[in-house]
Short mmCIF file of all heavy atoms in Angstrom, two decimals:
data_model
loop_
_atom_site.label_atom_id
_atom_site.label_comp_id
_atom_site.label_asym_id
_atom_site.label_seq_id
_atom_site.Cartn_x
_atom_site.Cartn_y
_atom_site.Cartn_z
N MET A 1 227.95 68.97 124.91
CA MET A 1 228.79 70.15 125.14
C MET A 1 228.30 71.29 124.25
O MET A 1 228.02 71.10 123.08
CB MET A 1 230.25 69.80 124.81
CG MET A 1 231.22 70.92 125.13
SD MET A 1 232.93 70.37 124.85
CE MET A 1 233.76 71.87 125.30
N ALA A 2 228.19 72.47 124.80
CA ALA A 2 227.74 73.64 124.04
C ALA A 2 228.71 73.97 122.92
O ALA A 2 229.90 73.69 123.01
CB ALA A 2 227.60 74.83 124.97
N TYR A 3 228.16 74.56 121.88
CA TYR A 3 229.01 75.04 120.80
C TYR A 3 229.73 76.30 121.24
O TYR A 3 229.27 77.04 122.11
CB TYR A 3 228.16 75.33 119.57
CG TYR A 3 227.83 74.10 118.76
CD1 TYR A 3 226.95 73.13 119.25
CD2 TYR A 3 228.38 73.90 117.51
CE1 TYR A 3 226.64 72.00 118.52
CE2 TYR A 3 228.08 72.77 116.76
CZ TYR A 3 227.21 71.82 117.27
OH TYR A 3 226.92 70.70 116.54
N ARG A 4 230.87 76.56 120.60
CA ARG A 4 231.59 77.82 120.79
C ARG A 4 232.05 78.29 119.41
O ARG A 4 232.10 77.50 118.46
CB ARG A 4 232.79 77.63 121.73
CG ARG A 4 233.82 76.65 121.19
CD ARG A 4 234.94 76.38 122.20
NE ARG A 4 235.84 75.34 121.68
CZ ARG A 4 236.85 75.55 120.84
NH1 ARG A 4 237.10 76.79 120.43
NH2 ARG A 4 237.59 74.56 120.40
N ILE A 5 232.38 79.56 119.31
CA ILE A 5 232.80 80.13 118.03
C ILE A 5 234.28 80.45 118.09
O ILE A 5 234.74 81.18 118.97
CB ILE A 5 231.96 81.38 117.71
CG1 ILE A 5 230.50 80.96 117.47
CG2 ILE A 5 232.53 82.12 116.50
CD1 ILE A 5 229.54 82.12 117.29
N THR A 6 235.03 79.90 117.14
CA THR A 6 236.48 80.09 117.12
C THR A 6 236.84 81.44 116.48
O THR A 6 235.99 82.14 115.93
CB THR A 6 237.17 78.98 116.31
OG1 THR A 6 236.81 79.14 114.93
CG2 THR A 6 236.74 77.60 116.80
N ASP A 7 238.14 81.73 116.49
CA ASP A 7 238.64 82.99 115.92
C ASP A 7 238.50 83.03 114.40
O ASP A 7 238.76 84.07 113.79
CB ASP A 7 240.10 83.20 116.31
CG ASP A 7 240.26 83.55 117.78
OD1 ASP A 7 239.24 83.86 118.42
OD2 ASP A 7 241.40 83.51 118.28
N ALA A 8 238.09 81.95 113.77
CA ALA A 8 237.85 81.96 112.33
C ALA A 8 236.66 82.83 111.96
O ALA A 8 236.49 83.21 110.81
CB ALA A 8 237.62 80.54 111.83
N CYS A 9 235.84 83.16 112.94
CA CYS A 9 234.62 83.96 112.71
C CYS A 9 234.93 85.29 112.03
O CYS A 9 235.82 86.02 112.44
CB CYS A 9 233.94 84.22 114.06
SG CYS A 9 232.49 85.30 113.95
N ILE A 10 234.16 85.59 110.98
CA ILE A 10 234.31 86.87 110.26
C ILE A 10 233.16 87.82 110.58
O ILE A 10 232.97 88.82 109.89
CB ILE A 10 234.42 86.63 108.74
CG1 ILE A 10 233.19 85.88 108.21
CG2 ILE A 10 235.70 85.88 108.39
CD1 ILE A 10 233.12 85.79 106.68
N ALA A 11 232.41 87.49 111.64
CA ALA A 11 231.37 88.38 112.15
C ALA A 11 230.30 88.73 111.12
O ALA A 11 229.84 89.87 111.05
CB ALA A 11 231.99 89.64 112.75
N CYS A 12 229.87 87.73 110.35
CA CYS A 12 228.84 87.98 109.33
C CYS A 12 227.44 88.04 109.93
O CYS A 12 226.53 88.60 109.33
CB CYS A 12 228.91 86.93 108.23
SG CYS A 12 228.31 85.30 108.74
N GLY A 13 227.25 87.38 111.08
CA GLY A 13 225.95 87.41 111.74
C GLY A 13 224.96 86.35 111.31
O GLY A 13 223.86 86.26 111.87
N ALA A 14 225.31 85.53 110.35
CA ALA A 14 224.37 84.53 109.84
C ALA A 14 223.94 83.54 110.91
O ALA A 14 222.77 83.16 110.99
CB ALA A 14 225.00 83.79 108.66
N CYS A 15 224.84 83.13 111.76
CA CYS A 15 224.51 82.14 112.79
C CYS A 15 223.51 82.69 113.80
O CYS A 15 222.60 81.98 114.24
CB CYS A 15 225.78 81.68 113.50
SG CYS A 15 226.72 83.03 114.24
N ALA A 16 223.69 83.94 114.18
CA ALA A 16 222.80 84.54 115.17
C ALA A 16 221.36 84.53 114.67
O ALA A 16 220.42 84.32 115.44
CB ALA A 16 223.25 85.95 115.50
N ALA A 17 221.18 84.74 113.37
CA ALA A 17 219.84 84.75 112.79
C ALA A 17 219.21 83.37 112.79
O ALA A 17 217.98 83.24 112.81
CB ALA A 17 219.90 85.31 111.37
N GLU A 18 220.03 82.32 112.79
CA GLU A 18 219.52 80.95 112.71
C GLU A 18 219.34 80.28 114.07
O GLU A 18 218.61 79.29 114.19
CB GLU A 18 220.47 80.09 111.87
CG GLU A 18 220.53 80.48 110.41
CD GLU A 18 219.19 80.31 109.70
OE1 GLU A 18 218.49 79.33 110.01
OE2 GLU A 18 218.83 81.16 108.87
N CYS A 19 219.97 80.78 115.10
CA CYS A 19 219.91 80.12 116.41
C CYS A 19 218.49 80.17 116.97
O CYS A 19 217.93 81.26 117.16
CB CYS A 19 220.89 80.78 117.38
SG CYS A 19 220.87 80.00 119.01
N PRO A 20 217.91 79.00 117.29
CA PRO A 20 216.51 78.96 117.74
C PRO A 20 216.31 79.49 119.16
O PRO A 20 215.17 79.75 119.56
CB PRO A 20 216.16 77.47 117.66
CG PRO A 20 217.46 76.78 117.86
CD PRO A 20 218.49 77.66 117.17
N VAL A 21 217.39 79.63 119.91
CA VAL A 21 217.25 80.07 121.30
C VAL A 21 217.99 81.39 121.57
O VAL A 21 218.20 81.77 122.72
CB VAL A 21 217.73 78.97 122.27
CG1 VAL A 21 216.80 77.76 122.21
CG2 VAL A 21 219.17 78.57 121.99
N SER A 22 218.37 82.08 120.49
CA SER A 22 219.04 83.39 120.62
C SER A 22 220.25 83.34 121.55
O SER A 22 220.44 84.25 122.37
CB SER A 22 218.04 84.45 121.09
OG SER A 22 216.98 84.57 120.17
N ALA A 23 221.05 82.29 121.39
CA ALA A 23 222.23 82.14 122.24
C ALA A 23 223.45 82.89 121.71
O ALA A 23 224.47 82.98 122.38
CB ALA A 23 222.58 80.65 122.37
N ILE A 24 223.34 83.43 120.47
CA ILE A 24 224.50 84.02 119.81
C ILE A 24 224.36 85.53 119.71
O ILE A 24 223.33 86.05 119.30
CB ILE A 24 224.68 83.43 118.40
CG1 ILE A 24 224.70 81.90 118.46
CG2 ILE A 24 225.97 83.96 117.76
CD1 ILE A 24 224.72 81.23 117.09
N SER A 25 225.43 86.23 120.12
CA SER A 25 225.42 87.68 120.01
C SER A 25 226.79 88.17 119.54
O SER A 25 227.78 87.45 119.60
CB SER A 25 225.08 88.31 121.36
OG SER A 25 226.02 87.92 122.33
N GLU A 26 226.83 89.41 119.07
CA GLU A 26 228.07 89.97 118.56
C GLU A 26 228.97 90.34 119.72
O GLU A 26 228.56 91.05 120.65
CB GLU A 26 227.79 91.19 117.69
CG GLU A 26 229.03 91.68 116.95
CD GLU A 26 228.69 92.73 115.91
OE1 GLU A 26 227.56 93.21 115.88
OE2 GLU A 26 229.60 93.06 115.12
N GLY A 27 230.21 89.86 119.66
CA GLY A 27 231.17 90.17 120.70
C GLY A 27 232.26 91.08 120.17
O GLY A 27 232.04 91.85 119.25
N ASP A 28 233.44 90.96 120.71
CA ASP A 28 234.55 91.82 120.35
C ASP A 28 235.26 91.26 119.11
O ASP A 28 236.14 90.43 119.23
CB ASP A 28 235.51 91.92 121.53
CG ASP A 28 236.65 92.90 121.27
OD1 ASP A 28 236.55 93.69 120.31
OD2 ASP A 28 237.65 92.86 122.01
N GLY A 29 234.84 91.69 117.94
CA GLY A 29 235.47 91.26 116.70
C GLY A 29 234.96 89.94 116.15
O GLY A 29 235.30 89.56 115.04
N LYS A 30 234.16 89.23 116.92
CA LYS A 30 233.55 88.00 116.44
C LYS A 30 232.27 87.76 117.22
O LYS A 30 231.97 88.48 118.17
CB LYS A 30 234.51 86.81 116.59
CG LYS A 30 234.78 86.37 118.02
CD LYS A 30 235.77 85.22 118.04
CE LYS A 30 235.96 84.60 119.41
NZ LYS A 30 234.79 83.81 119.86
N TYR A 31 231.53 86.75 116.80
CA TYR A 31 230.30 86.42 117.51
C TYR A 31 230.59 85.41 118.62
O TYR A 31 231.58 84.68 118.56
CB TYR A 31 229.25 85.90 116.53
CG TYR A 31 228.48 87.03 115.88
CD1 TYR A 31 229.14 87.96 115.08
CD2 TYR A 31 227.12 87.19 116.07
CE1 TYR A 31 228.45 89.01 114.51
CE2 TYR A 31 226.41 88.24 115.49
CZ TYR A 31 227.09 89.15 114.71
OH TYR A 31 226.41 90.20 114.15
N GLU A 32 229.70 85.38 119.61
CA GLU A 32 229.92 84.53 120.78
C GLU A 32 228.64 83.77 121.12
O GLU A 32 227.53 84.26 120.89
CB GLU A 32 230.32 85.39 121.97
CG GLU A 32 231.64 86.13 121.75
CD GLU A 32 231.97 87.12 122.86
OE1 GLU A 32 231.06 87.54 123.60
OE2 GLU A 32 233.15 87.47 122.97
N ILE A 33 228.80 82.58 121.69
CA ILE A 33 227.67 81.74 122.11
C ILE A 33 227.62 81.68 123.63
O ILE A 33 228.64 81.42 124.28
CB ILE A 33 227.82 80.32 121.53
CG1 ILE A 33 227.73 80.36 120.01
CG2 ILE A 33 226.77 79.39 122.12
CD1 ILE A 33 228.08 79.04 119.32
N MET A 34 226.46 81.91 124.18
CA MET A 34 226.27 81.75 125.63
C MET A 34 226.09 80.26 125.90
O MET A 34 225.06 79.67 125.52
CB MET A 34 225.04 82.53 126.10
CG MET A 34 225.23 84.03 126.03
SD MET A 34 223.76 84.94 126.57
CE MET A 34 222.74 84.80 125.09
N PRO A 35 227.05 79.61 126.54
CA PRO A 35 227.01 78.15 126.71
C PRO A 35 225.82 77.66 127.52
O PRO A 35 225.35 76.54 127.29
CB PRO A 35 228.36 77.83 127.38
CG PRO A 35 228.83 79.11 127.96
CD PRO A 35 228.29 80.20 127.10
N ASP A 36 225.35 78.44 128.43
CA ASP A 36 224.22 78.01 129.25
C ASP A 36 222.90 78.07 128.49
O ASP A 36 221.89 77.51 128.95
CB ASP A 36 224.11 78.87 130.52
CG ASP A 36 225.28 78.65 131.46
OD1 ASP A 36 226.02 77.66 131.27
OD2 ASP A 36 225.44 79.45 132.39
N VAL A 37 222.89 78.76 127.35
CA VAL A 37 221.66 78.92 126.56
C VAL A 37 221.64 77.95 125.37
O VAL A 37 220.59 77.46 124.97
CB VAL A 37 221.53 80.38 126.08
CG1 VAL A 37 220.26 80.58 125.26
CG2 VAL A 37 221.54 81.34 127.29
N CYS A 38 222.79 77.66 124.82
CA CYS A 38 222.91 76.78 123.64
C CYS A 38 222.29 75.41 123.91
O CYS A 38 222.55 74.79 124.94
CB CYS A 38 224.38 76.62 123.29
SG CYS A 38 224.71 75.45 121.96
N VAL A 39 221.44 74.94 122.96
CA VAL A 39 220.83 73.62 123.08
C VAL A 39 221.47 72.61 122.11
O VAL A 39 220.92 71.54 121.86
CB VAL A 39 219.30 73.68 122.86
CG1 VAL A 39 218.65 74.50 123.97
CG2 VAL A 39 218.94 74.26 121.49
N GLU A 40 222.64 72.98 121.57
CA GLU A 40 223.46 72.06 120.78
C GLU A 40 222.75 71.54 119.54
O GLU A 40 222.89 70.37 119.18
CB GLU A 40 223.94 70.90 121.66
CG GLU A 40 224.67 71.38 122.92
CD GLU A 40 224.99 70.24 123.88
OE1 GLU A 40 225.37 69.17 123.41
OE2 GLU A 40 224.84 70.44 125.10
N CYS A 41 221.99 72.40 118.88
CA CYS A 41 221.25 71.96 117.69
C CYS A 41 222.12 71.88 116.44
O CYS A 41 221.77 71.20 115.49
CB CYS A 41 220.07 72.88 117.44
SG CYS A 41 220.54 74.52 116.82
N GLY A 42 223.23 72.63 116.43
CA GLY A 42 224.14 72.59 115.29
C GLY A 42 223.79 73.53 114.15
O GLY A 42 224.50 73.56 113.14
N ALA A 43 222.72 74.31 114.28
CA ALA A 43 222.30 75.20 113.19
C ALA A 43 223.37 76.25 112.88
O ALA A 43 223.59 76.60 111.71
CB ALA A 43 220.99 75.89 113.55
N CYS A 44 224.06 76.71 113.89
CA CYS A 44 225.10 77.72 113.65
C CYS A 44 226.22 77.14 112.80
O CYS A 44 226.69 77.77 111.85
CB CYS A 44 225.63 78.27 114.97
SG CYS A 44 226.13 77.00 116.16
N ALA A 45 226.65 75.94 113.14
CA ALA A 45 227.72 75.31 112.39
C ALA A 45 227.30 75.04 110.95
O ALA A 45 228.09 75.19 110.02
CB ALA A 45 228.14 74.01 113.07
N ALA A 46 226.04 74.66 110.76
CA ALA A 46 225.55 74.36 109.42
C ALA A 46 225.43 75.62 108.57
O ALA A 46 225.53 75.57 107.35
CB ALA A 46 224.19 73.67 109.52
N THR A 47 225.24 76.75 109.21
CA THR A 47 225.02 78.02 108.51
C THR A 47 226.32 78.77 108.24
O THR A 47 226.43 79.47 107.24
CB THR A 47 224.10 78.92 109.37
OG1 THR A 47 222.89 78.23 109.60
CG2 THR A 47 223.82 80.24 108.68
N CYS A 48 227.28 78.64 109.10
CA CYS A 48 228.49 79.46 109.03
C CYS A 48 229.29 79.21 107.75
O CYS A 48 229.62 78.06 107.43
CB CYS A 48 229.38 79.15 110.24
SG CYS A 48 230.89 80.15 110.24
N PRO A 49 229.66 80.28 107.01
CA PRO A 49 230.41 80.12 105.77
C PRO A 49 231.88 79.76 105.98
O PRO A 49 232.54 79.34 105.03
CB PRO A 49 230.30 81.51 105.12
CG PRO A 49 230.10 82.46 106.24
CD PRO A 49 229.29 81.69 107.26
N VAL A 50 232.38 79.90 107.20
CA VAL A 50 233.80 79.63 107.44
C VAL A 50 234.04 78.54 108.50
O VAL A 50 235.16 78.32 108.94
CB VAL A 50 234.56 80.91 107.85
CG1 VAL A 50 234.56 81.92 106.70
CG2 VAL A 50 233.98 81.55 109.11
N GLY A 51 232.97 77.85 108.90
CA GLY A 51 233.14 76.74 109.84
C GLY A 51 233.62 77.14 111.22
O GLY A 51 234.30 76.35 111.90
N ALA A 52 233.25 78.33 111.67
CA ALA A 52 233.77 78.81 112.96
C ALA A 52 233.12 78.16 114.18
O ALA A 52 233.81 77.95 115.18
CB ALA A 52 233.64 80.32 113.04
N PRO A 53 231.82 77.84 114.16
CA PRO A 53 231.24 77.21 115.36
C PRO A 53 231.69 75.75 115.47
O PRO A 53 231.72 75.02 114.48
CB PRO A 53 229.72 77.28 115.11
CG PRO A 53 229.56 78.34 114.07
CD PRO A 53 230.78 78.20 113.21
N THR A 54 232.03 75.33 116.68
CA THR A 54 232.48 73.95 116.90
C THR A 54 232.00 73.47 118.25
O THR A 54 231.76 74.26 119.16
CB THR A 54 234.02 73.86 116.83
OG1 THR A 54 234.42 72.52 117.09
CG2 THR A 54 234.68 74.77 117.88
N ASN A 55 231.85 72.16 118.37
CA ASN A 55 231.55 71.59 119.69
C ASN A 55 232.59 70.55 120.06
O ASN A 55 232.33 69.66 120.86
CB ASN A 55 230.14 71.01 119.75
CG ASN A 55 229.96 69.81 118.83
OD1 ASN A 55 230.78 69.57 117.95
ND2 ASN A 55 228.90 69.07 119.01
N ASP A 56 233.77 70.65 119.46
CA ASP A 56 234.86 69.73 119.79
C ASP A 56 235.30 69.89 121.24
O ASP A 56 235.34 71.00 121.75
CB ASP A 56 236.05 70.00 118.87
CG ASP A 56 235.78 69.51 117.45
OD1 ASP A 56 234.81 68.76 117.27
OD2 ASP A 56 236.53 69.90 116.55
FE1 SF4 B 101 222.28 78.21 118.84
FE2 SF4 B 101 222.09 75.71 118.02
FE3 SF4 B 101 224.35 77.04 117.64
FE4 SF4 B 101 223.68 76.33 120.10
S1 SF4 B 101 224.19 74.92 118.40
S2 SF4 B 101 224.41 78.33 119.49
S3 SF4 B 101 221.45 76.48 120.02
S4 SF4 B 101 222.38 77.48 116.71
FE1 SF4 B 102 230.95 84.16 112.68
FE2 SF4 B 102 230.21 82.05 111.24
FE3 SF4 B 102 228.48 83.22 112.89
FE4 SF4 B 102 229.22 84.44 110.63
S1 SF4 B 102 228.05 82.53 110.79
S2 SF4 B 102 229.04 85.37 112.70
S3 SF4 B 102 231.38 83.80 110.50
S4 SF4 B 102 230.38 82.16 113.48
#
């Protein structure tokens, strides 16, 4: 299942810089993941300072 970014996101941009397939972009007040592009590597979750990306 693709990762998604919860409302905990503080829009720091760190995850977008780490995503190997450029699936993450800045959205309305937080960052967003394109589910069809995400390869479920987990780099965003490992990088995020507030634990916003999840694949639950
Ligand atoms: Fe990008 Fe990997 Fe996060 Fe998917 S899990 S959005 S591929 S960093
Ligand atoms: Fe949001 Fe976390 Fe990505 Fe920063 S690293 S933009 S807080 S999801």
Side-chain angles (χ1 to χ4, degrees):
M1 185 175 180
Y3 279 69
R4 62 185 175 83
I5 294 174
T6 68
D7 288 347
C9 176
I10 57 171
C12 73
C15 57
E18 294 297 322
C19 180
V21 293
S22 300
I24 307 174
S25 59
E26 189 170 10
D28 184 15
K30 70 182 188 72
Y31 275 62
E32 298 173 340
I33 295 171
M34 291 179 281
D36 293 347
V37 180
C38 175
V39 295
E40 305 173 40
C41 72
C44 51
T47 302
C48 181
V50 295
T54 178
N55 66 345
D56 288 346

